[in-house]
Amino acid sequence: MQLSRLSQSGATAASGVRDRTKSVALAALCTLLFLTFLDNTIVSVGLGALQTDLHASVADLQWVVGGYALAFASIMLACGMIGDELGRKAVMLTGAGVFCAGSVVCALAPNAQTLIAGRAIMGLGAAASEPGTLSVLRHIYTDDRARARAVGVWAAVAGLALALGPVVGGALVGAWSWRGIFWFNLFFGLAALLVAAITVPESADPTAARVDALGTLLGAGTLAALMFAIIDAETSSFGSAKVVALLCASAVLAVAFVFRERRASHPVLDVRLFRLPQFTVPNVVAFCTYLATFAIFFFTALYLVEVPSDSGYRIALVFAPMTVLMIIASVLAGRWTGRAGPRWPITVGCAAFAAGLLLANPLITPHPDYFALSLALALAGVGIGITVVPVTSAVLDAVPPERSGMAASAANTSREIGAVCGAAVLGALVFSRLNASLSSHLAALNVPASEKAEILAFKPVIIQFIETGQANVGGYSKYGPIVNKVIDAAYASFGDGLHAALYLSAGLVLAAGLLAALTLGKRSASKEAAQDLTPPA
């Protein structure tokens, strides 16, 4: 009897040690995840200072955001497979080191081009480190319910990082400068690397094959050509020869990528996965959610800096309620998803996100009601927080364990492609609307007809001022009495473009939620699909 009690006591103690070890490993993974997600949005409130200090154009600013996301998305699938083959921990830690190196380049950047290069290096490091933070969970937590809770924590940290980006960035810019953002990344990146090296167990797939290098290059080329085309179209047009050539190249590369992956013995992305709604639909939702998120974090933050001239501290306060509610919603969504599956959490989350965008849209003015705007953004944050967890959980549940690295990379790639398109597509929309509406705003000014023609000729200078924060206005100094009217017209045009981007984002999120409601079943359906899918020979 006594031996039996001692045995039970020993088993309980061993179980407790294992649980503590898992918790420490989860904390280390989430610390590393926090930084890579944070960097998607932390630079948003530093864009105005970047624009002034480095004489950067809006296209440069888009590359500061998009360069990180593009590098992230381009090789993440390959990094997930490399982790499956060589060891998820080893690849994850290597990526963290590259991320820290890129942070140093950015912190010391003397111009916009160097900063963009540093951001691309950071993106490459994040692409190597982030898939491991999710795929390792599948091997640490083998029980469905325990894994759902762990993924809920993972997603809550991801939501926390996404939401804290503007708040942390605003505080750093207000207290120091935009360079402080990257020193922050370096310090905490090194700390996370050390903790993960000590606590996270190694895991790998002994049957994994070598990475499909050609497929990786074709996928990266597709994304790069598309983004170059969209951003270049802002200063030329979608009908220009260069843009058309880039779009055609992107289409050809995309077809070649699919053709290659369908025939590769060990593809970087098993396209058979897209036959499963439980895999495809969450990836679509992830894309739409991140595209819409950048309408808030990139363009709304940039507008608040340039038009009302808000400080980093003010923007941090506006986004703070959004941050808090996004975290709470992520935690609650983890429990909801564990009980009910992904269908209704995704649907409700998308509806709340779209409602927040629609409510915030009319509040973004040259003289905003900050309290009301903060509440509207908070509702959007609730929607984002609810959506992130079931999207992640559904993708992992749709595949067998040996494909967890590929599934995690696919989900994260969908997010980053959404981020790339959020910066590029919405940027093109904002500044095409700016160009289209500025002439009408200038023409409506109450000035003599003899002066109106010269003021309309002032349009390129106004656009240059909005896009770079600087312009040579010396030749127009004689129009001093109406300068304020001209500036108001320019800001109204900028607002028209931003409102169009927010409406488009809300529409995409609503469509994604409807798609989830119509196609996704409960968790049991996902498990059956995962059991039916076997790895390619």
Side-chain angles (χ1 to χ4, degrees):
M1 189 73 173
Q2 188 174 3
L3 288 175
S4 175
R5 290 176 180 174
L6 287 173
S7 176
Q8 291 176 1
S9 176
T12 301
S15 176
V17 171
R18 286 195 297 271
D19 289 342
R20 286 194 295 273
T21 301
K22 289 180 180 180
S23 297
V24 173
L26 175 62
L29 292 172
C30 288
T31 302
L32 194 55
L33 166 76
F34 179 83
L35 280 179
T36 57
F37 261 79
L38 184 77
D39 229 68
N40 278 298
T41 57
I42 193 172
V43 299
S44 59
V45 294
L47 295 175
L50 279 169
Q51 191 178 49
T52 302
D53 290 352
L54 301 182
H55 308 292
S57 67
V58 166
D60 291 331
L61 298 181
Q62 286 176 270
W63 277 114
V64 169
V65 174
Y68 178 83
L70 179 61
F72 206 153
S74 295
I75 68 163
M76 196 185 312
L77 283 171
C79 289
M81 290 189 69
I82 293 172
D84 287 343
E85 178 187 359
L86 301 181
R88 299 176 179 96
K89 176 181 177 179
V91 173
M92 181 175 65
L93 296 182
T94 300
V98 174
F99 179 88
C100 292
S103 298
V104 174
V105 174
C106 291
L108 300 176
N111 51 53
Q113 291 70 33
T114 304
L115 179 62
I116 293 168
R119 291 283 290 166
I121 294 171
M122 293 177 69
L124 293 175
S129 65
E130 187 170 316
T133 65
L134 183 56
S135 61
V136 167
L137 290 182
R138 183 71 181 259
H139 300 274
I140 295 177
Y141 295 93
T142 55
D143 177 71
D144 285 350
R145 297 185 71 86
R147 185 170 63 250
R149 289 192 295 269
V151 170
V153 173
W154 184 97
V157 171
L160 169 66
L162 198 66
L164 272 181
V167 177
V168 174
L172 289 170
V173 171
W176 189 0
S177 76
W178 61 266
R179 296 183 189 275
I181 291 172
F182 300 106
W183 292 122
F184 174 92
N185 283 334
L186 175 64
F187 177 80
F188 284 96
L190 290 174
L193 193 159
L194 179 61
V195 173
I198 296 171
T199 62
V200 174
E202 182 61 280
S203 65
D205 179 6
T207 64
R210 293 195 177 278
V211 174
D212 177 17
L214 178 57
T216 300
L217 290 175
L218 290 172
T222 299
L223 295 176
L226 179 62
M227 188 172 180
F228 272 103
I230 294 171
I231 292 182
D232 191 73
E234 293 175 25
T235 54
S236 53
S237 72
F238 278 100
S240 70
K242 180 180 178 182
V243 171
V244 170
L246 285 169
L247 291 174
C248 290
S250 180
V252 170
L253 289 169
V255 172
F257 173 77
V258 173
F259 183 84
R260 167 67 182 178
E261 297 310 287
R262 286 177 62 88
R263 286 157 179 78
S265 57
H266 299 286
V268 68
L269 176 62
D270 185 357
V271 294
R272 297 183 308 158
L273 293 172
F274 290 101
R275 299 174 185 172
L276 305 176
Q278 292 81 9
F279 180 85
T280 302
V281 173
N283 277 290
V284 171
V285 174
F287 170 84
C288 293
T289 300
Y290 267 62
L291 185 147
T293 298
F294 272 75
I296 297 175
F297 289 125
F298 185 94
F299 294 104
T300 302
L302 183 61
Y303 182 90
L304 292 175
V305 169
E306 290 201 354
V307 181
S309 299
D310 289 336
S311 66
Y313 289 127
R314 170 64 67 84
I315 295 175
L317 288 174
V318 169
F319 281 102
M322 181 180 186
T323 300
V324 174
L325 291 180
M326 188 183 294
I327 298 164
I328 295 172
S330 295
V331 174
L332 296 178
R335 299 176 181 177
W336 185 10
T337 303
R339 293 194 305 269
R343 182 183 185 184
W344 293 117
I346 290 177
T347 303
V348 172
C350 287
F353 187 9
L357 289 171
L358 294 174
L359 289 173
N361 204 347
L363 299 172
I364 300 174
T365 67
H367 306 286
D369 181 337
Y370 290 103
F371 179 74
L373 177 59
S374 185
L375 291 180
L377 293 178
L379 178 58
V382 170
I384 297 171
I386 293 175
T387 305
V388 169
V389 175
V391 163
T392 305
S393 180
V395 168
L396 281 181
D397 281 347
V399 302
E402 58 269 21
R403 287 287 173 262
S404 60
M406 180 184 289
S409 296
N412 291 331
T413 298
S414 297
R415 291 187 178 97
E416 295 306 320
I417 293 174
V420 170
C421 291
V425 175
L426 296 180
L429 176 62
V430 166
F431 285 97
S432 67
R433 287 284 298 167
L434 168 64
N435 275 284
S437 65
L438 185 54
S439 293
S440 61
H441 280 295
L442 291 176
L445 292 177
N446 184 23
V447 296
S450 59
E451 295 182 359
K452 188 164 293 187
E454 291 190 61
I455 291 174
L456 288 174
F458 191 30
K459 177 181 173 181
V461 179
I462 298 173
I463 292 176
Q464 181 188 359
F465 174 75
I466 293 176
E467 291 193 341
T468 68
Q470 302 158 28
N472 181 11
V473 297
Y476 297 88
S477 57
K478 62 181 179 179
Y479 298 114
I482 62 167
V483 165
N484 288 336
K485 292 183 179 180
V486 172
I487 292 174
D488 288 342
Y491 287 157
S493 300
F494 187 11
D496 290 343
L498 174 57
H499 296 320
L502 290 173
Y503 281 129
L504 173 62
S505 300
L508 287 174
V509 171
L510 279 175
L514 180 61
L515 179 64
L518 295 175
T519 59
L520 291 183
K522 292 188 177 181
R523 183 178 298 277
S524 58
S526 297
K527 288 180 68 64
E528 291 172 6
Q531 291 170 357
D532 292 339
L533 185 68
T534 57

